[in-house]
Amino acid sequence: MADLSPADAEFLGQDLPALARVDVASSIYSGQQGQIEYRAAGNPSNAAVLMLHGLGSSSAGYRAQFAGLSRDFHVIAWNAPGFGGSSPIPGQDAKIDDYASAVEGLLRALGVRRLAALVGSSWGSVVATAFARQYPALVASLVLSAPNTARGHLVGDTRTAELNAWLRTADVNIPVSRAAIADRLLTPDTPALVRQHVERLRDAMTTQGWRQAIRSTFTVYTPDIISEVRCPIAILSGTRDQVAPQQDHAERLLAAAPRATSYPFEGCGHILKLEAPSKFNAVVREMAAQAK
């Protein structure tokens, strides 16, 4: 990929907003209440944009969106249930709709009545799609970055084998080098500043939250539900993404939702929000404006 532009370097150099935590009422929690940790920037009276992270990430992955969008929007990014300081969903199993319910509870707790844009990256795109389908009145536009079709179409022994293979690796105590993780998520020529941030993305992960999120991906197949989403949809995909290759994920979603707009990110890997922040932010702005 090309070197960072001065604007992108500036966005990536900004400090993150402080973490906050809010009580959330939802039937998914024991006693009907849990807590969700999040970061927010911008005037709360502005149109709201919510960012949902991927399996190996957290709210910290949206550093460049806080920096680049908070002048005009109220930018919020959560730590999903079981990530960081957010309450896990009780039990081992969690459905993708449970995470969608947690999003609804977070918005209610923060007093957000409607999102100008809901942004989901990787696994976050799966949660975002489920949420937009389940709560259409709360979402004006949907932005899916490095989207994933999830694994809900698998059955029988194939499903069991793949789920178990994923779960065997889902332990934060298994030593894996940060460099190896970044190598899989990025391209060999990714600028050092981007790589530096990507190497820190797993810091808020917990084993329980990770495994719950993995199990949730086996409860839905997003090409089966994206056609029910009624708001405008943008699908962003890196042409060099090794984790969610375009032909296996973005193209299948586009085929299932022909109204969606495709935004290829040439030369980028899986972490588009950090690899090409200005372009990423421009799509979010365009979708939010279109929703108005």
Side-chain angles (χ1 to χ4, degrees):
M1 62 179 289
D3 291 338
L4 291 172
S5 68
D8 285 349
E10 181 180 352
F11 293 154
L12 292 169
Q14 297 298 307
D15 291 335
L16 284 164
L19 284 166
R21 205 179 293 182
V22 66
D23 291 331
V24 170
S26 175
S27 61
I28 67 170
Y29 294 118
S30 299
Q32 308 292 305
Q33 187 162 301
Q35 288 193 323
I36 289 183
E37 191 173 57
Y38 68 98
R39 302 178 194 269
N43 190 332
S45 65
N46 287 342
V49 175
L50 178 63
M51 312 274 181
L52 308 180
H53 61 78
L55 274 179
S57 190
S58 72
S59 58
Y62 287 104
R63 176 186 305 270
Q65 286 61 59
F66 288 121
L69 295 171
S70 59
R71 185 171 299 176
D72 302 306
F73 298 96
H74 185 208
V75 183
I76 306 161
W78 79 345
N79 286 343
F83 287 71
S86 294
S87 303
I89 297 170
Q92 286 193 339
D93 295 326
K95 296 180 175 61
I96 206 69
D97 284 346
D98 292 332
Y99 291 93
S101 295
V103 172
E104 189 276 335
L106 173 63
L107 296 181
R108 192 160 18 91
L110 296 178
V112 176
R113 296 184 177 181
R114 192 167 190 251
L115 294 168
L118 175 60
V119 180
S121 297
S122 195
W123 171 67
S125 76
V126 183
V127 178
T129 302
F131 181 85
R133 175 205 189 200
Q134 191 171 336
Y135 300 98
L138 302 184
V139 186
S141 68
L142 185 63
V143 178
L144 307 178
S145 174
N148 199 296
T149 58
R151 300 292 188 273
H153 62 303
L154 300 178
V155 297
D157 292 343
T158 300
R159 180 188 187 279
T160 300
E162 186 162 336
L163 174 58
N164 288 338
W166 277 59
L167 292 176
R168 279 194 297 271
T169 67
D171 187 338
V172 296
N173 295 312
I174 296 175
V176 182
S177 78
R178 293 179 184 271
I181 293 166
D183 286 344
R184 177 161 168 73
L185 295 171
L186 302 170
T187 65
D189 51 349
T190 299
L193 181 57
V194 177
R195 181 173 288 271
Q196 172 187 323
H197 288 313
V198 169
E199 289 182 356
R200 299 295 305 273
L201 289 183
R202 288 169 53 129
D203 288 357
M205 291 177 65
T206 70
T207 298
Q208 180 183 3
W210 190 1
R211 288 177 175 171
Q212 278 190 324
I214 286 172
R215 288 188 177 95
S216 77
T217 68
F218 286 77
T219 67
V220 67
Y221 184 56
T222 49
D224 287 345
I225 66 171
I226 195 171
S227 62
E228 299 178 38
V229 174
R230 297 304 172 212
C231 65
I233 305 170
I235 295 180
L236 288 54
S237 55
T239 60
R240 298 172 69 184
D241 189 339
Q242 305 174 72
V243 176
Q246 283 181 314
Q247 66 272 20
D248 297 328
H249 296 273
E251 289 180 11
R252 292 181 186 181
L253 288 167
L254 287 162
R259 295 183 301 105
T261 304
S262 176
Y263 294 86
F265 280 54
E266 293 295 333
C268 289
H270 192 65
I271 312 295
L272 306 178
K273 59 199 176 194
L274 295 177
E275 294 175 87
S278 293
K279 181 174 181 178
F280 189 104
N281 292 353
V283 174
V284 176
R285 286 182 182 279
E286 179 181 338
M287 296 301 290
Q290 180 178 329
K292 285 183 180 180

